[in-house]
Amino acid sequence: MVDTRDQGLAPETFAPGDMRERIEAFDWAATPLGPRATWSPSLTFAVDMIVASRFPSALRWGPELVLVYNDAYAPMLGERHPQVLGKTFAEAPPTSAADSEGPERAILTGRSGGSAIEDLPLTTVQSDGSTTDGYFTIRLSPMPDATVPSGVGGVLIALADVTRRVRAEQALRASEERYQLALKAASGVGTWDWDILADKVYADARYATFHNVDPARAAAGAPLAEYRIALHPDDQARLLKSGRTHLKTTGDFDEEYRLIQADGSVRWVQTRGRVERDAKGWAVRHRGVMVDITERKRIEQALEAAEADIRIAVDAAGLGRWDHYPQTGRRFWDKRCREIYGLPDETTTESPLTSLERLIHPDDLQPTMDAVRRATDPAGDNMLNREYRIRRANDGAVRWVETCGQAFFENGQCVRFVGVVSDVTERKEAEADQMLREATMALALDAGNVGTWDYDVRKRLLRWSERGYGMFGMAPGAEVGLDDFYAAMHSDDREATRQALLAAMNPAVRADIDVEYRTIGRDDRQERWISAKGRGFFDEAGKPARVVGATVDITERKKAELHLRLLVNELNHRVKNSLATIQAIAAQTFHAARSLPQAQEAFSARIVALAEAHDLLTRENWEGADLLDLLGRLEALHGGAGRFTTEGGSVRLSPRMALSLSMALHELATNAVKYGALSSLEGQVRIAWTVIPGGAHPRLVLTWTETGGPPVSPPTRRGFGSRLIERGLAAELSGEAHIEFHPGGVVCRIEAGLDG
């Protein structure tokens, strides 16, 4: 801004800002007003009046609207002061709406009795060069002069500084805006004000709507009884009693209760209020706010239910719970945990580790203590999963126990170590017995020289053990099918054997195979008598899936026991594969999870994904699956219509690839639902793929791209999901997968060979 001090005048002539002396020394004869001696009394009076005023004042006089102003008005002119003194409206047009020509001429001609401009923002320049921003109300008033036809000689311009009031109003409006924003952000907040003496409750629209009261009526004040109608019957007595008590005390009112909505639904709310009292101490007003806590209540109830489920599951499984706080020495061993260790119910003064070390079998003590130290080390994996022997405290019996736990840390220190323990003595004894029986069976089968066979009905593939090849006079490992089997059979025995196999595969019959037949060795042309026993196995739809059995060279009658062992092994072959997969998922999930509920949720979701993939392969008779079908199930499970877009054609996947890719896509979708694009309404996932020919097998290239979700930042450490995708796919499919955490969304690129 410009300096309002004198410009172009000698310092000794006028003091800066002295408008009285400046006006007296001004050459008015050169202006339309003429010499001061010829001025009318009205003009002289008006000039003397504004010069004497300490408030910002100015005159526009005569038809030309010549400007005269006082010291207080000079800062309003900025750099134009003092040049505009004595200038006409045409010579010094205004720079602000405050000096518009129209209103002034309307006053000058008598058509207007005056006007005002409210709260005009103006920047002023003080005599010391400093600037200030403020607000002024400008009033334009007529100045009478009997010497002119209209009776009005000029216009008085008076300014009133209203900066404090305007800024106070602005602060009040800003505060109100912040208050309203806070109400909106607080998820269903409403306010109320109860005039107790008049029994009128004034409430905003939110509060009124929650109580089924018309918002207009609530704004005008409605009786308390109208609001009470919405109270849940189970909460009315408690809330009314609390309200009466609150009116007699000085404490704050804080209650949670239910409201029945107009549509019949129930919402939980929390109200907080305070009573205002008159000089005599009587309660006169009750004001407060209401918050919708329905979602919080739902989460609390779900958490209570989940904790109850955990307790029931733990009790049903015979697990004992333990909870240690290493920094304070506090620990908790529940009743079942103490029973497992043979400890009395009363609290012992020993530390948990001391009690534990006394009970652990000497051969298992050091490895177990090392596992505990690794779990409670911030640099470790923070998990404990250990089987060890104990000498039970009450009877000295040797028992096997399995304990699982997780350590939690704050500021690099273990603050809590929690887990469960179970007595697994029977299982360990059963495992030892099973190992002994399997070793014995292996010796028996080896001594009995038994061959085995496995017929995959869907693929028409027949597998033999090495001895089975020998019984058919074939080199071990040769590719054989059912036709080769019948071709090697003696013609007199072929039909009976065929009927036995058909009966085993018939769902209505399901007969066991127990036949004897002769074979003519394909390579050595030797004739052998074979005793074959077998059984068919069926899927959930009742269709035959496998027929497995054993063969014995009847001539030698050796290794009969091998038949049972190999039969059991082949029977459980696929079951063990599935269990191994589930075991790996469980180990990784419970290894990486922060809490048991989180682990249960993740484990259940991954099992569902595995089941979905199995269902899809079952429909295809385990011959493979189409990528489009797999993505269709993924969309139905995780997003619904419109959340996924796909770009690519039909691609046939092998069973192994379908399972691995299904699990990987499920992990990506689960993360997207929790943290990524699918966690917001606007988010989407684009899945695009193409098949690149060349090499031994063509390669599938698939890209997963998330958009529209919350901002993404790279994780501090990779979880099981990331390892499943990046490492699992590489191992299972001889491919590669890369996950990139772009700010706009996760991008995953998967490349793998199509092996089927």
Side-chain angles (χ1 to χ4, degrees), residues 243-261:
R244 293 190 188 100
T245 302
H246 181 63
L247 293 178
K248 301 176 183 179
T249 64
T250 58
D252 290 345
F253 179 77
D254 190 347
E255 287 291 340
E256 295 179 359
Y257 55 91
R258 288 162 289 183
L259 293 173
I260 300 176
Q261 303 298 284

Side-chain angles (χ1 to χ4, degrees), residues 280-343:
K280 296 181 180 181
W282 292 99
V284 293
R285 298 193 85 87
H286 194 192
R287 296 186 175 95
V289 296
M290 176 197 72
V291 182
D292 181 2
I293 60 171
T294 305
E295 183 62 17
R296 192 197 81 194
K297 283 290 187 179
R298 185 193 66 78
I299 294 173
E300 289 176 353
Q301 292 169 356
L303 181 59
E304 290 176 359
E307 291 177 346
D309 290 342
I310 292 173
R311 288 194 297 271
I312 293 172
V314 168
D315 293 341
L319 301 177
R321 289 173 290 162
W322 51 267
D323 197 345
H324 297 169
Y325 297 84
Q327 290 186 322
T328 63
R330 289 175 51 225
R331 82 279 192 191
F332 167 76
W333 289 359
D334 71 359
K335 181 179 180 180
R336 177 55 183 156
C337 186
R338 291 181 174 276
E339 289 176 353
I340 291 173
Y341 286 99
L343 295 171

Side-chain angles (χ1 to χ4, degrees), residues 565-621:
R565 175 179 177 275
L566 295 180
L567 176 63
V568 171
N569 285 346
E570 290 297 324
L571 174 65
N572 291 321
H573 175 68
R574 289 195 181 273
V575 176
K576 287 185 177 180
N577 285 344
S578 297
L579 290 178
T581 301
I582 294 173
Q583 184 181 23
I585 292 175
Q588 291 293 339
T589 301
F590 286 92
H591 171 82
R594 296 182 179 177
S595 66
L596 187 56
Q598 181 186 25
Q600 289 176 320
E601 179 184 356
F603 180 69
S604 297
R606 286 163 181 153
I607 295 303
V608 168
L610 183 62
E612 284 288 317
H614 274 268
D615 286 345
L616 186 61
L617 289 170
T618 300
R619 289 195 296 108
E620 298 289 338
N621 294 327

Side-chain angles (χ1 to χ4, degrees), residues 395-659:
D395 58 9
V398 176
R399 307 291 294 179
W400 275 96
V401 298
E402 179 181 17
T403 187
C404 298
Q406 181 173 3
F408 298 89
F409 299 83
E410 289 182 5
N411 301 322
Q413 297 292 324
C414 179
V415 296
R416 191 179 182 191
F417 193 26
V418 61
V420 295
V421 64
S422 60
D423 188 326
V424 295
T425 305
E426 285 73 17
R427 174 171 65 81
K428 296 295 286 187
E429 290 176 349
E431 290 176 355
D433 183 58
Q434 179 67 19
M435 292 177 60
L436 178 60
R437 283 186 295 168
E438 289 183 355
T440 303
M441 184 68 69
L443 293 173
L445 292 176
D446 187 55
N449 193 23
V450 178
T452 61
W453 51 273
D454 184 349
Y455 176 50
D456 188 323
V457 179
R458 297 185 182 96
K459 298 180 180 179
R460 291 184 58 83
L461 181 62
L462 181 63
R463 298 184 182 90
W464 280 327
S465 67
E466 183 174 348
R467 288 191 177 91
Y469 282 105
M471 294 176 189
F472 283 81
M474 299 180 186
E479 293 186 5
V480 294
L482 192 61
D483 294 337
D484 298 315
F485 169 70
Y486 287 129
M489 194 175 299
H490 195 286
S491 59
D492 294 343
D493 302 329
R494 188 175 297 142
E495 186 58 28
T497 305
R498 188 192 306 274
Q499 291 302 320
L501 180 60
L502 292 176
M505 294 189 296
N506 188 337
V509 179
R510 304 193 181 194
D512 288 346
I513 298 175
D514 188 356
V515 295
E516 295 180 357
Y517 52 83
R518 289 163 291 177
T519 63
I520 306 300
R522 190 182 69 177
D523 298 334
D524 60 12
R525 307 308 298 172
Q526 292 184 16
E527 181 178 293
R528 296 175 178 86
W529 275 94
I530 305 298
S531 174
K533 298 182 184 294
R535 179 173 298 172
F537 293 89
F538 302 82
D539 59 22
E540 295 179 356
K543 295 181 179 180
R546 296 171 61 202
V547 182
V548 298
T551 57
V552 179
D553 187 334
I554 297 175
T555 305
E556 298 182 2
R557 291 289 184 185
K558 293 181 179 180
K559 301 184 179 179
E561 292 85 357
L562 182 60
H563 169 68
L564 178 59
R565 175 179 177 275
L566 295 180
L567 176 63
V568 171
N569 285 346
E570 290 297 324
L571 174 65
N572 291 321
H573 175 68
R574 289 195 181 273
V575 176
K576 287 185 177 180
N577 285 344
S578 297
L579 290 178
T581 301
I582 294 173
Q583 184 181 23
I585 292 175
Q588 291 293 339
T589 301
F590 286 92
H591 171 82
R594 296 182 179 177
S595 66
L596 187 56
Q598 181 186 25
Q600 289 176 320
E601 179 184 356
F603 180 69
S604 297
R606 286 163 181 153
I607 295 303
V608 168
L610 183 62
E612 284 288 317
H614 274 268
D615 286 345
L616 186 61
L617 289 170
T618 300
R619 289 195 296 108
E620 298 289 338
N621 294 327
W622 278 86
E623 295 176 359
D626 194 285
L627 178 58
L628 292 174
D629 292 340
L630 189 149
L631 293 178
R633 291 209 169 195
L634 180 74
E635 179 178 0
L637 185 62
H638 291 286
R643 303 306 301 273
F644 288 80
T645 58
T646 56
E647 298 178 15
S650 175
V651 178
R652 193 67 179 171
L653 305 176
S654 68
R656 182 166 61 96
M657 189 172 191
L659 284 174

Side-chain angles (χ1 to χ4, degrees), residues 173-239:
R173 284 195 298 271
S175 177
E176 177 64 21
E177 290 175 357
R178 289 193 297 269
Y179 175 67
Q180 291 299 327
L181 289 174
L183 291 182
K184 293 179 180 179
S187 180
V189 173
T191 61
W192 47 271
D193 181 357
W194 180 26
D195 185 337
I196 300 174
L197 299 180
D199 189 23
K200 286 189 175 182
V201 178
Y202 302 90
D204 61 14
R206 297 183 185 90
Y207 189 90
T209 302
F210 267 69
H211 289 78
N212 304 325
V213 176
D214 179 57
R217 182 166 175 76
L224 179 64
E226 293 188 19
Y227 294 87
R228 287 170 51 187
I229 297 174
L231 284 178
H232 194 285
D234 295 344
D235 297 336
Q236 285 195 10
R238 173 180 58 83
L239 194 62

